[in-house]
Amino acid sequence: MSTARIAVDADRPIGAIDRRMYGVLVEHLGRCVYTGIFEPDHPAADEHGLRRDVMELVRELGVTVARYPGGNFVSNYRWEDGVGPLARRPRRLELAWHSTEPNTFGTDEFMTWCRLAGVEPMMALNLGTRGEEDAVNLLDYVNGRADTDYANLRRANGHDEPYDVRMWCLGNEMDGPWQVGHKSAEDYARLALSTARAMHMVDRGLELVACGSSAWEMPTFGDWERTVLELGYDEIDYISMHRYIDPAAQDRADLLAAGVDLDRFIDGVIATADAVGAKRRSDKKIKISVDEWNVWRISEWNAIEHGFDPGDWPLAPEKIEDVYTAADALAVGGLLISLLRHADRVKAACLAQLVNVIAPIMTEKGGRAWRQTIFHPFATASRIARGTAYDAVVAGPLTATGRYGEVEALDAVVTWDEQTATGSLLALNRSLTESLDVTAALGASRVASARILAPEDLDAVNTADEPDAVAPVAHPVELADGALTTTLPPASWLAVELA
């Protein structure tokens, strides 16, 4: 048994936790939309064709913002195809994922879903095959109040009031050769700047996200961010970054330490952004949108033979439907700790994706919906980790990893919400073999709840038949004179709600 201590300086907060920290990606990929959130023939569908059973799980998950319609999908998307009478909506070839897009779910359906789910919409723009004019037209359709063609088109489609979308992504992963319309950093930066300026002529209050690197292994990482920011610094508010952790490409010790990987990536983007800001002698701080992140067996996906029949363009095929293990849930819990640890600069984050496709929620076509293992750490954090984040300074043993060397066995973050007088301690024991006796000097007066993911079988999964095989359970903690004590088993993630 090893011991670890957590100390928190209440006078030195990291930063306010933005409500957008608990976002998701809803993309027209596989079964995320069709037979995921939208299935008009399902017994649980409402009058809009939205699955009520999935909606209930989305609310339980605590989603605050949803990025739409992609993802790689957006770079060949014509948004006009997805509005207006269904009989007039065309079927299109979807190039990113080699499928057919029926366009029976589009912008208005997404906005209706957001309203009913209590989720803020975040819109992504096609800067792969389109540009400034299309962006302004979509902005006018979505937010327009004047007597204009596109605002009137929205009204004619039955939506009198503007949707007032505040956050807009200027393309998706434009650094990636796989992206339709892939561009060099210079060409993308010019297009993003021109698009941002045009959109700001319509509404100066928009929050705009420029594409950063889709992975920090990209050969252009760093130079890409610098180029984009040097040109567009005054017009953009966020730089994006995407991070997927691959359990199939690393061992369990590395997987549980994946927060180290995310920390390094975020710190690198911050350093690059601040270097550009310093060069410009600017007081402005660029925020970060980690608008795609998750655990994904991407090496297994890439190993699949991607040949296809040019005559076969399936509708809503089963794609990238990873079944998540208990170990994956622990990794997601660790990544949440890293995101919260950067709450001063990470002001938006989107778990990718929401339903069926590398997702916390799974469905059967015409049948059941259930929670995957990764559902639980996200739902717990979104419920209790609000307000302000504080650095949890850990003194304790190290644990060995092959990829990151020796890292702290205990990873943790503390939050406190002055408005509700509640807080949280999120802690991960990364060690696969050693328990930890933990003491945390938190200054709290009461523990409202303490729940732990400490699976005996790290390969355990949740299924439609056994949807609760992996789920948090109550965990004993003691609180005396503001100090919390407990024992964390090997490979465990603890969430304590404080009052």
Side-chain angles (χ1 to χ4, degrees), residues 373-389:
T373 63
I374 65 170
F375 182 102
H376 296 293
F378 189 101
T380 301
S382 69
R383 182 175 62 83
I384 69 174
R386 301 293 183 105
T388 301

Side-chain angles (χ1 to χ4, degrees), residues 7 28 52 71 149 219 339 351 359 406 421 453:
H28 288 242
R52 290 189 181 94
D149 189 49
L339 291 171
L351 184 73
E406 289 194 326
L453 278 170

